[in-house]
Amino acid sequence: MKDYYAILGVSYSATDLEIKRTYRRLAVKYHPDKNPDPQAEALFKEINEAYDTLSDPEKKVFYDLKRQNPFQGVIIEEPPRPRHRDPRYRGTARPAPTKGNRNNLKDLKRKYIPYLGWLCWVGITIPALLFIDYYLPYRIKKEMIVDGYAVGRQQRSNQTHSFKHIVFTTESGKLIKIDNLNEVMLEVGGEVQYKDTWIYGTVMEVSDGMNTITTGHIYGAVAFLPSILFGIAAMGIYNRLDIEFYFSACIVCGVLSFVSLYLILSL
C-alpha cells in the first residue's frame, strides 16, 4: 500500500491547507515540462494520485482507516443530508420499527388454537357417524300416534290448505314429519310403523300398514353439506402446522357442524 503522506512529504496530522501548498510546490518541481529528469513523470503521477486521495475528505478517511488496518474492510456511512430551511420539506420522523399487525394476529390465533382445534375433529366425527348411521341396519318400530299438527298456512284465494309438512308425535315422543298425507293414511290415535337409524335416530321410512314413503332427506339433496364439512375438517387437521389455515378451518367447521346437526335432527 502506497504511503501518500510520504510521497507528499507531509505528516499524518497535516491540515488541508498544508497538503494543498505542498502539492503545488511538488507539482511545479516535478512537472515533465519543467523537469527533464526521466523519473519526474512517474513521480508526478504519484504526487497527483496522493493529492487526489488526501484532498478528498471521504477518500482521506477511508485511506487512513485502511492504512491503520489494511486487512479489514471499511464501511463509510453516508453523511446526513442538511435539513431544508422550509419546515414543509423537513419531513416527519420515521416511527420506530414495531411488530407487524399480521404477526400479532398470527400470535393471537396460535394462542386460541388449543381451544378451537377440537372443532375440526367434530367436523370429522359428525359426517363419519352420519355415513355409518346410513349403512347400519335400521330399527323397525310400531307405535301409536298421540298428537299431530300441520306446519304451513291457509290460502284464502281458493279456500284450500297448503302445508309444508305435518308432524306426528308417537307415544315414545318420536317426531315424524310427513310432507304429503296423500301417500300414507295417518291420523291421531292410529298406528304408524317406521324405520329409524341407530345413532341419530333419523326416520328413514314411514308406513301406514299398506303404503310406505321414504324420508331421511339429510341423506339426499342436503348430504353435500356434511361432505363439505368432512373435507374442510380433514384439510385443517392435515395442515394443522399452518396456524392461519388451521384457525380458519376450525371456525368454518364450527359453523358447518352447527348447521349439519340442525339439519340432521330436524329433517
Side-chain angles (χ1 to χ4, degrees):
M1 182 177 180
K2 295 182 181 180
D3 191 348
Y4 292 147
Y5 291 97
I7 292 174
L8 294 180
V10 296
S11 64
Y12 299 140
S13 60
T15 62
D16 295 341
L17 183 58
E18 292 176 354
I19 293 174
K20 188 175 183 180
R21 289 177 179 176
T22 304
Y23 166 74
R24 288 179 178 179
R25 179 174 53 83
L26 295 175
V28 173
K29 181 179 179 180
Y30 293 100
H31 196 281
D33 294 340
K34 296 183 179 182
N35 193 331
D37 189 349
Q39 297 182 356
E41 184 177 357
L43 186 57
F44 180 78
K45 291 181 179 180
E46 290 186 355
I47 292 171
N48 285 332
E49 182 182 345
Y51 178 75
D52 180 71
T53 300
L54 298 182
S55 62
D56 190 312
E58 292 185 10
K59 292 182 179 180
K60 186 174 183 296
V61 172
F62 180 85
Y63 173 77
D64 290 340
L65 294 175
K66 191 70 174 178
R67 183 175 57 83
Q68 294 175 6
N69 191 353
F71 300 101
Q72 181 178 0
V74 179
I75 300 177
I76 304 298
E77 296 183 358
E78 182 181 358
R81 297 181 180 180
R83 300 181 64 184
H84 200 282
R85 293 183 178 180
D86 191 342
R88 293 177 298 178
Y89 293 92
R90 294 181 181 177
T92 57
R94 295 183 179 179
T98 56
K99 200 171 186 180
N101 294 332
R102 184 179 181 86
N103 292 334
N104 292 336
L105 184 59
K106 189 174 182 179
D107 291 340
L108 187 62
K109 291 179 179 179
R110 184 181 289 105
K111 177 182 178 181
Y112 287 101
I113 276 295
Y115 305 100
L116 298 176
W118 60 272
L119 291 174
C120 279
W121 292 103
V122 171
I124 288 284
T125 304
I126 292 177
L129 291 178
L130 189 67
F131 180 82
I132 296 172
D133 202 25
Y134 179 76
Y135 285 99
L136 284 176
Y138 303 145
R139 297 178 296 185
I140 301 177
K141 296 182 180 180
K142 191 173 184 179
E143 297 185 61
M144 181 177 294
I145 300 175
V146 296
D147 192 13
Y149 60 91
V151 178
R153 63 180 180 179
Q154 182 180 9
Q155 297 179 349
R156 296 183 179 181
S157 58
N158 52 12
Q159 297 298 321
T160 60
H161 297 276
S162 176
F163 302 107
K164 289 184 177 180
H165 51 259
I166 299 175
V167 182
F168 292 103
T169 305
T170 65
E171 52 188 341
S172 65
K174 189 72 173 182
L175 297 179
I176 301 177
K177 298 179 182 180
I178 306 297
D179 293 334
N180 191 355
L181 278 180
N182 294 329
E183 299 180 6
V184 290
M185 301 298 296
L186 298 176
E187 60 182 4
V188 177
E191 287 187 339
V192 59
Q193 180 175 312
Y194 64 90
K195 296 180 180 180
D196 66 349
T197 61
W198 285 87
I199 299 177
Y200 290 112
T202 304
V203 178
M204 302 299 293
E205 291 183 4
V206 177
S207 174
D208 59 1
M210 298 181 60
N211 301 316
T212 302
I213 60 174
T214 302
T215 56
H217 303 293
I218 184 60
Y219 298 99
V222 294
F224 71 93
L225 186 60
S227 301
I228 295 175
L229 171 61
F230 183 87
I232 295 176
M235 288 189 298
I237 294 174
Y238 181 79
N239 298 284
R240 58 185 177 275
L241 296 181
D242 187 347
I243 299 300
E244 295 184 349
F245 182 85
Y246 190 32
F247 183 87
S248 301
C250 290
I251 298 299
V252 174
C253 286
V255 176
L256 293 182
S257 297
F258 175 81
V259 176
S260 297
L261 282 177
Y262 173 79
L263 292 177
I264 291 172
L265 298 178
S266 62
L267 293 180

